[in-house]
Amino acid sequence: MEKKVKIKINGKEFEVDSEKSILQAARENGIYIPAICYSDRFGAIGACRICAVEIAGMKKPMLSCAAKVKDGMEVTTNSPALDQLRREIIYEWDTFHPLQCGVCDKSGECELQNINYEFNITENPKEAQTDPLSIPQGTIHYEWKIIHHDANLCIQCRRCVAVCDKVVNFGILALVKKDGDRKEIDTKDGKPLDCEFCGQCVSVCPTGAMSSKLFKYKARAWEMEKVPTTCGFCSSGCQMDLNVKNNEILRVTSEEYTPNMANLCNLGRFNYSVSKSDRLIKDYSLNSKTLNQEAMLLELSQILKNTPKEKIFGISGARETHEDNLAFKMFFNNTLSNNNIDSLSSTHIGKLYKYLPQSVNTLYDFSDISDANLIICFGGDIANEMPRIDWSITRGAKLLKTSKVISAYWKDTKIDTLGSIPLRYEPGRELDFLTSFAFALKSEGYGAGLDGLDSLTGSEFDVSSIMEEVKKASNIAFIVCQEALERSNGEEIAKAVSNIALLLKDKIKVYASSKYNNAFGALYNNYGSSNEFSIQRLLEFAKEGKIETLILLNADLFSFLSDNEAKIVRDSVKNIVLFDTFESKTSLIANAIVPVPFFTSQSGTFINAEGRVNKINKAIECNVPCAWEFLFKLSTNLGYNLSSAKLQLKDKKITLNGPADKIYTINTNSSVKGDGEFVFIANYSKFRTSVYSGYGEGAKLAQSQSVLHISKEDAQRIGLNDGDIANIEANGASIALPVKIDEQMPKSVLAAQLWFENTNPYNITGGFNNLVRANLTKAQGGLK
Amino acid sequence: MNKTYVVENEREVIVNMGPQHPSTHGVLRFVVKLDGEKIVESDPDVGYLHRGFEKFAENMTYQQFMPFTDRLDYLASMNNNFAYAMAVEKLLGISSQIPKRAEYIRVIMAELGRIASHLVWLATHALDIGAMTVFLYCFREREYILDMYEMACGNRLTYNYIRIGGVARDLPDGFLDKLKEFVKLFPSKVKEYHTLLSKNRIWLKRTKGIGYISKQDAINWGIAGPCTRGSGIDWDLRRDMPYSVYPELDFEIPVYHNCDVYDRYLVRMDEMIQSNRILEQCIEKIPDGPVMMKDSPYVWDPKEDIMKKNYALMKHFVKVVQGIKAPPGETYFGAENPKGELGFYIYSNGEGVPYRMKIRSPSFINLSAMPVMLKGHYIADIISVIGSLDFVFGECDR
Amino acid sequence: MIEVIIGIVKLILLVTVLSVYVMYATWYERKVIGHMQQRIGPKRVGPYGLLQPLADTIKSFFKEDVIPARADKPLFWLAPILAPTFPFAAAAAIPFFPPIELSNGTMFYFSVFHSNVDLLYILAMMGLSSFGVMLAGIASGGNKYSYFGAQREIAQVVSYEIILALALLNPILMVQSLNLTDFVTFQQQHLWLIFYQPFAFVAFVIAMVASASRVPFDLPEAENELVAGFNTEFTGLKMAMFFFGQYVTIFVVSALAAIVFLGGWSGPAILPGFVWYWLKVLLFIFMFTWFWGTFPRYRYDQLMDIAWKKLLPLLVLNILWTGFALIVHMPII
């Protein structure tokens, strides 16, 4: 499809893709053309005009970032005239740029500085126009959260506008007219910034105009050591650099050559202060008595020795490093010789990969999403679950324009603004869509010859609108969101997804989203392979008294169970041993607590949703050993030497085992728990991937509490306004949440976000379920 | 040093001279196998002062490395500054754009450095052989030079005065007068040293015929500087591969042919007189004008500009934080230092820091020829040969 | 009995006076060489730095006393004791003042010990004085520098004791006595012996510098070659003892030279005899310092060369000449 053309740049002939712009072609071949506003992340803007080149036959210089190559084109990238032109532009910028490098956070890595140096500007004919020492008149947005904007430093390259629009797909920033003919970057509506607070605009700003409030005046760019690592907040595995000074992370940056193309979300970019949270667990403690490591080892081994081996159970939070995760598994399988162990990935992706046949369960790179012809996003708001997948979709649909998007969900979401084909089902009716889709595929002749094909049945759900696209597409990315898999009928959904994957075998790439950063690592280490014990049966086992000692590795009981259930577990288990990084409700009830370093304080690997084995590197010192070291010592105390075990992975990418190809029969009979007027859904906020992610400044500032999303009509009917407190009741329990009217919410549907400290929505849905019928009342008075 | 010595008979003994020894000029470890007091085998072992300068250079901007060159041959810091600045200027292709006055100031500083370095050499050489008074006489004159250096740059040992593109600041008032005075006085002082040593029978006994290295051997071992000229090789980079303003100056290259410690001594004594001649001419010829390049992307803008003009401030930040971006390529520049040819090989890949820097240190290379010179001599001759080679460990180990 | 008491008093006086002398000899030397080298020398402690030697002494008492683990402990203690002992013993025979005739007609000698074989005794003690250094080399536990230093000292002493003795043999032949007072008496009657025996005097001066191990013959402790030679491993008071011995040696040989060649306390009557005597001694001590400030150091083989190949044959010839001259009663003698 790609055509090659021949062009001449500076007298040398090159053969390049016809789709490329001159700038891209030149850069590919190592020819340097200066450019300020251009970046591969968001394409050409054409604002800075520095990249102008001369093309034979054209009177005026052309912008190389925007002009596509043509066969036989002759380009000159450097000439006195061009140099003069570029200098004029720099003079223009310099004229209005305040003399503030000394106090500007961007100094030292500022592209305006760089371009001044590159062109060696030694005079400015326009400098008489303005006095650089005068007080600048541009707006400084002190009122914005997290992001600081100083219009005086802006050179109006519009990179922030482009990144907000074309990468993040939020589009809140624009170059707007201010008094007179002055233009400034501001929000489109002029209100204070209220966005995803991903800070992409900060990362692209060539000057110090957009900067992080959290970083302001903390350090100079060159003082910090950049420690490359992998983000530990979700399973995207974004590569980033922790900027460390004096054993403290001061900011997070990322480079354009990373797989995530320097894109980071709010959590990755601004939530680094979690690492110095005052709620870090620092000491070993047993029944709230602080011990040293040796004493703790002795006490713990005593506890474990006194417990019959088959009564020891373990749950991994799927958030620890691969090494910890594997050591934990080995500890159970070898030292304790049982398999009473499961991880939190079994609550969602574990279900999917249990059924997804080997032939389609390959883990693919996210960049393939952007290249897919058709992207089907099913079962959740991917922008909230994994922003990186959202950006890959946006890149494919909006920037490269190679992909069509289908969004199958119960609500309009951000990706619907990409011109997607919306498929709306009622919450809890996911199977309708999946089975109809599978049936439609079968009718089109896909999957001929597969076992059990006949068992596929359809439903009333209409998928005809997308069948045309599916047929056309040669390359489909199918994204399964965590929310769908966490329904109580998640296993059936997983089976249905497997059926679709198998039917579209050759052209489908299945992606699953997970908020647990090492969920795929836990799958790889064969968590959830026990026939008897699984995390869903935790409560049952506890009630039956089968569990005497429960070891939790980075797993917070209150983050996947309701408070009542967690209490039941507490009461029926004799010893709860918690390995965790942060204090949580669980740490308050655990008998023994072993601190685990945060991912910024240890070296190891995470396995992300692409199956990549990503390295994390120790950036800040802490005197707590990794969990695997502690487990090894504990194992030695128990008489089993694990120290020869190899924890490190040699592979760069993992593969998972799956069953043989098989079409599953789906049990579509599912009923939503409870009875109430409303359907209540516990879903996710993009600002939390766990309870502790709220301990950081960035996330806390962006969203401090869980809110109840409600449609306008419903709100009016009940008489709720933004900010009012509402009580939601189901299953005999109730939670109180502040209300936020969301115009995109369908009627009689409520949604609240998990993992906020103000409430635990599992209280009304129950653990391992996120959907319930509930009643809504306006609370009298404020919050209790 | 990778040999293991085996004592073959009872008469032989192995002595570790250094690294802590009063006259190994720093931290040379010299392993000698002795038969009585006669040297059977010897091997210098270096590296005790290794500070990894070449690796440091890969991690700092070109300007940042300048103070490190002070710490190479710390007896002739100015010359090191000079050589490094010239090497970087050659890499940047701005060698011809250095202001004339700056060039003259550099030559004045370099020749003063040569005299100062030779004075320390003479002082320690004589002290090692036992003549204590010469030591103090030499330091008296050196003090005068250090005073002048202090006038110019405020420092007495590590000057960091010469900059890429010029020198840090102009000569202060009265400097040239003081220099004139020195130049007038100095030859009489050299005469004094000659009186003390050149005809002294003990001195002659200790230096003549000692530490012989033939002309061919000197070339083969790559020895440079006064040591080669003591072996009859007429080679001086200032004349034969001219740099800076040396072509405009008239001076002679002393050459002696007996290849021993005494001739190396005479070469240096004569060199001091020649340096004095160069200084005389410099005082006459030094022009007025700026001492730093202007408007070059490789030098810092004047402070007034940086404080007032935003483009200058912005450029300054880049130059300081990221370093000056030298064009990609490699270069070698060798300068005639008091100890010999100090060369800098710089490989740049276009970034603000060099990709690789190699320092050819004359001390190291001269030192390596020591076992040749010591064949069949006595333990006391080690000292006179060490003195005549005049090495400094800051430079040798880098 | 009274003689024993007088002897003891003399001995105590000798030790006291020489100790003070050694302290101030260092000061004197440092001052002299300082001015030779265009500096000032000690000046901080006391007026003109006069208390400097006291400070140095006190310091050397309080220095940490380090004994190497491999050292031979008894010898390590013995060496610094022996080092000054023999020079002191030699000094016992050196007169401090001209002898005076007491009212009862006996002579009172201002030396601890007076006999008719003064010279022989002094030479014997000088020969023994290298024992301290030798023991130091052996005791230092295999330190090669100490060993080399001791080896050099012994070779040097063996060579130069001979020169010293042969050089003295000429005057002895002429005076026909080994009694130091006789030498002075002889020179009072004749000319100073330096005029009769100029070559023997030169040889004696060279040999006396060598036997005191001073520049240009300071090989046993050549700092630049052997770190500190035999006393490399010695610290504090132990090291000071070696210096003590050396300075006493310098005094002994200087006094010997003054008495034997320069006429002792003989001199024009404008000054009293003992002043002449002390002036001559100080002149020699000054000479030591002067050499120090001027000469480089000979090499070991060159030192041996001078002793055995040059001085020894020439001195033998000189003795033959002196003997011949005495036999034929040449008028000059």
Side-chain angles (χ1 to χ4, degrees), chain A residues 298-337:
Chain A
L298 285 177
E299 295 284 350
L300 264 189
S301 31
Q302 211 48 51
I303 290 174
L304 293 175
K305 273 179 195 159
N306 292 342
T307 315
K309 281 185 176 177
E310 68 282 357
K311 287 193 139 188
I312 305 174
F313 285 75
I315 291 171
S316 142
R319 286 194 175 104
E320 64 283 351
T321 61
H322 166 74
E323 285 77 7
D324 288 357
N325 190 283
L326 183 54
F328 193 54
K329 177 89 164 120
M330 284 170 143
F331 183 75
F332 272 82
N333 291 0
N334 298 331
T335 314
L336 302 175
S337 39

Side-chain angles (χ1 to χ4, degrees), chain A residues 392-408:
Chain A
S392 297
I393 298 170
T394 307
R395 185 172 168 83
K398 202 167 187 176
L399 183 67
L400 305 177
K401 299 198 168 66
T402 48
S403 321
K404 275 250 158 70
V405 180
I406 296 170
S407 147

Side-chain angles (χ1 to χ4, degrees), chain A residues 8 96 108 181 212 429 441 717:
Chain A
K8 258 189 182 176
F96 298 103
D181 47 353
S212 157
R429 308 299 300 170
L441 288 173
R717 194 159 53 77

Side-chain angles (χ1 to χ4, degrees), chain A residues 657-713:
Chain A
N657 294 322
D661 290 5
K662 186 187 170 209
I663 295 287
Y664 298 98
T665 318
I666 316 290
N667 175 13
T668 50
N669 298 330
S670 62
S671 58
V672 177
K673 270 210 282 184
D675 46 0
E677 191 188 347
F678 292 92
V679 176
F680 173 82
I681 296 151
N683 62 4
Y684 298 99
S685 155
K686 59 170 67 79
F687 304 114
R688 293 291 186 278
T689 59
S690 53
V691 178
Y692 68 76
S693 55
Y695 299 173
E697 225 176 328
K700 212 186 281 172
L701 283 172
Q703 188 181 352
S704 59
Q705 54 183 352
S706 180
V707 291
L708 184 73
H709 285 256
I710 185 168
S711 71
K712 209 168 180 178
E713 291 168 50

